[in-house]
Amino acid sequence: NAGVTQTPKFRILKIGQSMTLQCTQDMNHNYMYWYRQDPGMGLKLIYYSVGAGITDKGEVPNGYNVSRSTTEDFPLRLELAAPSQTSVYFCASCGQGYEQYFGPGTRLTVT
Amino acid sequence: AQRVTQPEKLLSVFKGAPVELKCNYSYSGSPELFWYVQYSRQRLQLLLRHISRESIKGFTADLNKGETSFHLKKPFAQEEDSAMYYCAGNGQNFVFGPGTRLSVLP
């Protein structure tokens, strides 16, 4: 199993550009999450999903959108990128238990 | 509001010394609590959860409901324990603390 994979690993965006961060898991987990991690700070939940077709906002959803058309994929969309969205983005999934499995992260810089 | 705090951003200890990483939580009800670890250039991974009451890599953590704490302890630190440690709670939402960077010096 590849576990949780994220693409791209790094990206630089100009202000106002849009992009999609991809997240895929092959563990058939129902729960999936998107977090951002700012320098020196903890993880903040952006959006989460409890299953295909169901998504909900986390602590910091503004400026982001998600979709969950399949169990495996949970892409995160940034519209009109802003410098405040410069961060490291982590995707995670969770099955029947409470352990979250994390992807390697995407480092995004908006200039 | 649900909240997890870790008062120390950085903790340095010498190899062989005891280590304690502090975590306090503010939750209504009975949350499930976890410690996650992120070694250099690796992804976050679960270290232990309070329900299992197990010891992983020599680390233990006891839930103290009276003090609302879930401190992580190890009697003899090793250099390979150097990493970022995150305390997390799962109540209504999954909430992570800000993390503590542990540096074990030779």
Side-chain angles (χ1 to χ4, degrees), chain A residues 2-5 33 35 37 40-45 48 57-59 90 97-104, chain B residues 6 9 32 34 36 38 42-47 49 51 84 86 90-99:
Chain A
V4 180
T5 56
Y33 309 83
Y35 296 92
Q37 183 181 35
M41 306 292 286
L43 298 165
K44 292 191 176 180
L45 183 63
Y48 66 99
K57 296 178 181 179
E59 184 184 357
F90 289 99
Y98 285 106
E99 178 175 356
Q100 293 201 12
Y101 292 82
F102 282 82
Chain B
Q6 295 176 251
K9 280 192 172 181
E32 184 160 9
F34 308 82
Y36 279 79
Q38 186 176 27
Q42 295 186 27
R43 61 189 73 190
L44 276 87
Q45 56 188 286
L46 179 67
L47 182 60
R49 48 189 286 210
I51 273 187
M84 279 291 292
Y86 295 93
N90 190 14
Q92 187 177 7
N93 282 320
F94 214 95
V95 177
F96 281 84

Side-chain angles (χ1 to χ4, degrees), chain A residues 34-108:
Chain A
W34 273 107
Y35 296 92
R36 58 178 288 172
Q37 183 181 35
D38 299 331
M41 306 292 286
L43 298 165
K44 292 191 176 180
L45 183 63
I46 305 171
Y47 271 95
Y48 66 99
S49 168
V50 301
I54 306 170
T55 63
D56 209 345
K57 296 178 181 179
E59 184 184 357
V60 289
N62 291 344
Y64 307 93
N65 274 302
V66 293
S67 60
R68 185 93 184 271
S69 56
T70 66
T71 300
E72 294 79 18
D73 300 308
F74 190 41
L76 178 71
R77 178 82 178 162
L78 277 74
E79 304 282 2
L80 300 174
S84 62
Q85 292 177 303
T86 294
S87 191
V88 180
Y89 291 84
F90 289 99
C91 178
S93 73
C94 180
Q96 293 293 332
Y98 285 106
E99 178 175 356
Q100 293 201 12
Y101 292 82
F102 282 82
T106 295
R107 187 175 296 274
L108 176 68

Side-chain angles (χ1 to χ4, degrees), chain B residues 24-43:
Chain B
N24 289 90
Y25 64 91
S26 172
Y27 269 83
S28 57
S30 298
E32 184 160 9
L33 292 159
F34 308 82
W35 276 98
Y36 279 79
V37 60
Q38 186 176 27
Y39 300 104
S40 179
R41 301 184 187 281
Q42 295 186 27
R43 61 189 73 190

Side-chain angles (χ1 to χ4, degrees), chain A residues 6-64:
Chain A
Q6 290 182 239
T7 56
K9 288 187 177 180
F10 306 94
R11 184 73 186 268
I12 298 174
L13 283 181
K14 293 187 186 301
I15 295 171
Q17 287 185 320
S18 301
M19 76 164 294
T20 298
L21 282 67
Q22 301 292 345
C23 175
T24 300
Q25 53 95 4
D26 62 0
M27 297 173 282
N28 203 33
H29 286 167
N30 284 327
Y31 293 81
M32 294 188 76
Y33 309 83
W34 273 107
Y35 296 92
R36 58 178 288 172
Q37 183 181 35
D38 299 331
M41 306 292 286
L43 298 165
K44 292 191 176 180
L45 183 63
I46 305 171
Y47 271 95
Y48 66 99
S49 168
V50 301
I54 306 170
T55 63
D56 209 345
K57 296 178 181 179
E59 184 184 357
V60 289
N62 291 344
Y64 307 93

Side-chain angles (χ1 to χ4, degrees), chain B residues 6-102:
Chain B
Q6 295 176 251
E8 302 136 332
K9 280 192 172 181
L10 174 65
L11 182 64
S12 296
V13 301
F14 285 102
K15 176 182 172 181
V19 61
E20 180 180 65
L21 298 159
K22 292 184 167 53
C23 171
N24 289 90
Y25 64 91
S26 172
Y27 269 83
S28 57
S30 298
E32 184 160 9
L33 292 159
F34 308 82
W35 276 98
Y36 279 79
V37 60
Q38 186 176 27
Y39 300 104
S40 179
R41 301 184 187 281
Q42 295 186 27
R43 61 189 73 190
L44 276 87
Q45 56 188 286
L46 179 67
L47 182 60
L48 52 81
R49 48 189 286 210
H50 90 268
I51 273 187
S52 60
R53 303 179 68 83
E54 58 192 341
S55 172
I56 303 292
K57 298 185 179 182
F59 284 97
T60 58
D62 290 320
L63 179 63
N64 185 322
K65 291 186 178 180
E67 295 181 358
T68 60
S69 68
F70 187 55
H71 302 330
L72 183 70
K73 300 177 184 179
K74 185 170 183 177
F76 307 103
Q78 303 300 314
E79 289 182 68
E80 56 265 29
D81 296 328
S82 296
M84 279 291 292
Y85 290 82
Y86 295 93
C87 184
N90 190 14
Q92 187 177 7
N93 282 320
F94 214 95
V95 177
F96 281 84
T100 297
R101 180 171 297 282
L102 174 65

